[in-house]
Amino acid sequence: MWIFFSCVLILLASCSKTDEDSAVWEPKEHPVMLFSDTTVLELYEGSRISWKVKTAYLERWGGSDSIFVKPIFADIYDSLGNKAAFLRADSGNLNMRMTFVRAYGRVYALSPKGAAVRADSLMWLKRDDKIRTDGPVRVVGETGDVLQGVGFISDSKLENWQIRSKVTGIFQDAANRLKEEDGKLVPQ
C-alpha cells in the first residue's frame, strides 16, 4: 500500500502545472519573403532592364513593400539600357517596384567612366534620377582628383554632381593643369 501511495504522489507531482504551462503561447512573426542564399532581382521596363540587384540575404515583411538586403550589389541602367552606375554596400533596402534604393555601411558607387563615390549611406530615387546623401562623402573623379565633404547630390551616372559643404580636395597634377588653363587665357 505504501508503494501505491508513493507512486500516486510522484505521479501527481509530475503532472502539476509549471509556469511554462500557464504562459500564453504567442506565434513568432516571420517575414513573408526570406532568401538566405544568393538572390538576384531584375526590374524591366518593357523589354529594357532598369535595375539588377544581387544579395546574399533578402527579407520582406507583410504589410510593407520594403525589402531589406544584406549586402547589396546593384547595377543601375539608363533609359537606353546601358549601365549607368554600380552600387555596393553592407546593407540596403528598396521597394518591390524598385523606385528607390537606400544603401548603408561602406557604400561604394562607381560610374562607367570611372568616377567613384564612398559614403556611409546613399539614396537613389528613380523619379528624379538622383543619388544623394546628407552625410560625409568622398569622390574620386575620372582624372584622379579627390574631393570630400558633407552632403552630396548627383545624377545616376555620377557625371553631374556636387558636394554640399565643407569641401576639401586633392588635385592630381594641379600645377601642370593650371599652366594649361593659363595658356588658354593668354592671347598668343
Side-chain angles (χ1 to χ4, degrees), residues 55-68:
T55 187
Y57 179 86
L58 177 147
E59 72 179 36
R60 178 177 165 245
W61 290 82
S64 170
D65 73 344
S66 183
I67 299 170
F68 173 78

Side-chain angles (χ1 to χ4, degrees), residues 68-72 88-93 102-107:
F68 173 78
V69 293
K70 183 177 179 177
I72 183 170
R88 176 184 77 206
D90 292 339
S91 63
N93 67 323
R102 287 186 190 108
Y104 305 100
R106 295 185 299 182
V107 177

Side-chain angles (χ1 to χ4, degrees), residues 121-178:
S121 66
L122 278 179
M123 174 138 180
W124 181 84
L125 291 171
K126 184 177 182 178
R127 78 171 175 265
D128 62 1
D129 201 32
K130 298 286 185 198
I131 297 170
R132 64 185 79 222
T133 186
D134 292 328
V137 66
R138 181 178 185 187
V139 180
V140 179
E142 298 161 13
T143 60
D145 296 340
V146 179
L147 295 168
Q148 54 192 25
V150 177
F152 175 80
I153 188 164
S154 174
D155 63 353
S156 64
K157 292 182 179 184
L158 300 173
E159 291 178 342
N160 300 303
W161 53 268
Q162 72 179 132
I163 297 174
R164 301 289 199 153
S165 65
K166 300 182 182 177
V167 180
T168 60
I170 300 170
F171 297 92
Q172 304 301 318
D173 201 23
N176 286 333
R177 287 166 63 186
L178 281 172

Side-chain angles (χ1 to χ4, degrees), residues 20-84:
E20 289 177 15
D21 293 335
S22 62
V24 176
W25 181 79
E26 293 183 25
K28 183 177 176 183
E29 288 192 40
H30 296 280
V32 294
M33 284 185 356
L34 177 64
F35 298 92
S36 57
D37 200 355
T38 301
T39 303
V40 177
L41 299 172
E42 292 181 342
L43 176 72
Y44 288 83
E45 293 179 6
S47 62
R48 182 186 54 79
I49 191 165
S50 179
W51 290 71
K52 184 176 186 178
V53 174
K54 183 177 179 181
T55 187
Y57 179 86
L58 177 147
E59 72 179 36
R60 178 177 165 245
W61 290 82
S64 170
D65 73 344
S66 183
I67 299 170
F68 173 78
V69 293
K70 183 177 179 177
I72 183 170
F73 298 91
D75 291 327
I76 302 169
Y77 297 86
D78 65 17
S79 61
L80 301 174
N82 300 314
K83 192 183 287 189

